[in-house]
Amino acid sequence: TIVVPSLRTLVNMTGTQWAPVVGVKHTGITFRATRYTYMDAHAVPSAGDWALDRVGAVFLQGTDGASFDGCTFERLDGNAVMVS
């Protein structure tokens, strides 16, 4: 089997302060094979000498009570979970 990943985010849960994504539960899911992200543009949050890659196989922003129980993260060429 040949796998050629093209996505860097498999699950995107994005809400707002006023309309958050609430109580989403993931159970027993295998998240596998995202493309590499190390050459992508990165944010420099404090104008310091480090950078933050605000992307992940699972991206959470504006969420409340999201859970991952018994999930597996395999062969991800970047962050597994980004909580922004």
Side-chain angles (χ1 to χ4, degrees):
T1 302
I2 296 174
V3 177
V4 180
S6 62
L7 298 175
R8 56 185 193 164
T9 301
L10 303 175
V11 175
N12 182 351
M13 293 191 299
T14 302
T16 66
Q17 180 179 0
W18 301 277
V21 178
V22 179
V24 177
K25 297 180 181 185
H26 300 82
T27 305
I29 299 172
T30 298
F31 298 94
R32 179 181 295 129
T34 57
R35 73 173 182 80
Y36 71 84
T37 60
Y38 59 86
M39 293 298 288
D40 290 354
H42 291 66
V44 182
S46 65
D49 60 352
W50 60 283
L52 178 65
D53 187 14
R54 290 191 63 229
V55 69
V58 175
F59 182 81
L60 307 172
Q61 180 172 306
T63 61
D64 182 23
S67 67
F68 296 84
D69 184 32
C71 295
T72 305
F73 296 86
E74 298 177 351
R75 300 192 53 91
L76 305 176
D77 288 330
N79 297 327
V81 179
M82 170 54 70
V83 180
S84 178

